[in-house]
Amino acid sequence: MPRRASVFLVPTRHPGDAAAVAALIDAGVVRASDIVAILGKTEGNGCVNDFTRAYAVEALCHMLAPRLGLTAEAVAARIAMVMSGGTEGGLSPHLLVFAVEEAEAATPGGALALGTAFTADFVPEALGRMAQIHATAVAVRAAMAQAGIENAADVHYVQVKCPLLTSARIAAARARGATVATEDTYHSMALSRGASALGVALALGEVPEAALSDAVVGADWSLFSARASCSAGVELLRNEVVVMGQAPGWGGDLRIAHAVMPDAIALPAVQQALRGAGLDPGGGQLAETARLVAVLAKAEPSPTGLIRGRRHIMADDSDINATRHARALVGGVIAAAVGRTDLFVSGGAEHQGPEGGGPIAVIARG
């Protein structure tokens, strides 16, 4: 039976605001049982202690629980909840609701295809290492199978939510005689994102198994996925994977395309993704904003301290974290191109696109 994917973008007034999603369900626009994933941008700091992510997940689970006849815990186990903290600059807090339902017919040439999968909970010593890479690759392949995507070339974006290390988790590993990849909790976010991204790369055939080891995570930037977007948070212990592709057997008028930004100001890459999704960027700002459903991108401060040969100070600012600078910069570039600020721009692009750059995906109506 053909399936149809739907995507709804709704604003939020604060991290615990689930009212707009509830309104969609209560008005019959989407069935709660059809929701497979919810992605959100919250106005936290995006760092280890960004509890706006957990707050948003909790609010959504408690809102969905009575509508699904489940406990909040069962909702969290069923629906991929990917909250990305940080709406610096002009980025607007919002939620993206992904749903899948049966369709009467498939769209010729295919349409947006969605699949989700979850790893088991990780022990602290697995984060940032081959165990996380392998588990993520298995989950990506499972999500592809669920979506009916047989060819990795049909995958355009893989969104992963992954865990991080806290002082308590590090202490628990130490008590068992285990060592962790790092005892710097902030650095653990980068290693977890990086290992998850390399797991995506392995699953999609972008990086061979022989090139991977614990040592390359967060070190060998020549290894990356052009389609991975990974966000780390304190609110979970497993990886949650959402595969987005363009595949036959799916109906509806949504399509997805991706490109790779080689650096933070790569406007042509933004325009390439827009064109791939069937939109005309023209010579200036996008005019077809009504057809634009969502933009998802990664932001990364160049570790060389340079952008096209000119110095930046993102990594030298002791007051504002570098990933926060990067989100604001990349968000501004994309917003100028598309004429909107409700963009899912996530910071920390370790092994997600080339050094100092990152992937971008556009979902649009045909």
Side-chain angles (χ1 to χ4, degrees):
M1 183 72 181
R3 290 172 285 174
R4 182 178 69 183
S6 300
V7 183
F8 305 92
L9 189 155
V10 296
T12 57
R13 297 166 296 177
H14 54 78
D17 180 20
V21 181
L24 288 175
I25 297 169
D26 296 343
V29 177
V30 62
R31 289 191 294 264
S33 57
D34 291 337
I35 296 173
V36 297
I38 300 177
L39 278 57
K41 285 300 301 181
T42 67
E43 57 264 50
N45 62 23
C47 298
V48 174
N49 65 333
D50 183 354
F51 297 108
T52 66
R53 297 174 301 219
Y55 181 27
V57 169
E58 183 174 8
L60 287 164
C61 288
H62 280 280
M63 179 275 294
L64 287 166
R67 291 169 172 82
L68 288 169
L70 300 172
T71 64
E73 292 75 15
V75 173
R78 167 177 171 160
I79 298 174
M81 299 275 189
V82 182
M83 300 297 128
S84 172
T87 53
E88 297 82 6
L91 292 174
S92 301
H94 67 280
L95 296 170
L96 285 167
V97 181
F98 292 80
V100 175
E101 62 183 332
E102 291 186 353
E104 293 184 1
T107 299
L112 176 66
L114 298 174
T116 61
F118 311 100
T119 69
D121 287 354
F122 291 111
V123 292
E125 56 267 32
L127 297 185
R129 291 174 168 161
M130 285 298 296
Q132 190 175 19
I133 292 174
H134 282 140
T136 305
V138 170
V140 171
R141 295 184 186 115
M144 288 174 61
Q146 185 190 88
I149 299 175
E150 298 180 357
N151 190 341
D154 290 331
V155 175
H156 287 275
Y157 215 66
V158 180
Q159 183 66 55
V160 181
K161 185 68 184 183
C162 53
L164 52 81
L165 292 174
T166 62
S167 297
R169 293 172 187 175
I170 293 169
R174 190 183 299 123
R176 295 196 311 275
T179 61
V180 291
T182 179
E183 295 202 357
D184 180 332
T185 57
Y186 183 74
H187 186 49
S188 78
M189 299 180 74
L191 294 181
S192 183
R193 290 190 297 255
S196 298
L198 289 173
V200 176
L202 178 61
L204 299 184
E206 297 171 296
V207 173
E209 171 89 30
L212 297 172
S213 67
D214 290 353
V216 306
V217 181
D220 187 347
W221 303 121
S222 70
L223 305 174
F224 63 84
S225 171
R227 291 166 283 178
S229 171
C230 306
S231 179
V234 72
E235 67 272 17
L236 77 173
L237 292 171
R238 66 182 181 178
N239 274 17
E240 303 191 353
V241 175
V242 183
V243 166
M244 308 176 203
Q246 187 83 14
W250 288 77
D253 63 348
L254 294 183
R255 59 188 301 179
I256 185 171
H258 79 280
V260 178
M261 298 177 71
D263 59 35
I265 57 173
L267 176 62
V270 180
Q271 295 169 327
Q272 178 186 344
L274 291 168
R275 282 191 292 270
L279 300 172
D280 180 8
Q285 199 167 82
L286 180 71
E288 302 172 287
T289 55
R291 290 178 53 209
L292 179 64
V293 176
V295 179
L296 305 102
K298 289 300 295 187
E300 176 72 6
S302 171
T304 65
L306 301 173
I307 298 176
R308 302 189 189 181
R310 292 169 174 82
R311 186 171 71 95
H312 71 75
I313 56 83
M314 287 186 270
D316 298 326
D317 190 339
S318 297
D319 295 315
I320 302 174
N321 189 272
T323 58
R324 307 193 74 182
H325 281 287
R327 278 191 293 268
L329 173 57
V330 173
V333 171
I334 298 174
V338 303
R340 286 172 51 172
T341 58
D342 45 1
L343 311 167
F344 193 90
V345 179
S346 172
E350 302 84 3
H351 301 292
Q352 301 153 70
E355 192 175 20
I360 177 171
V362 170
I363 300 175
R365 294 185 180 86

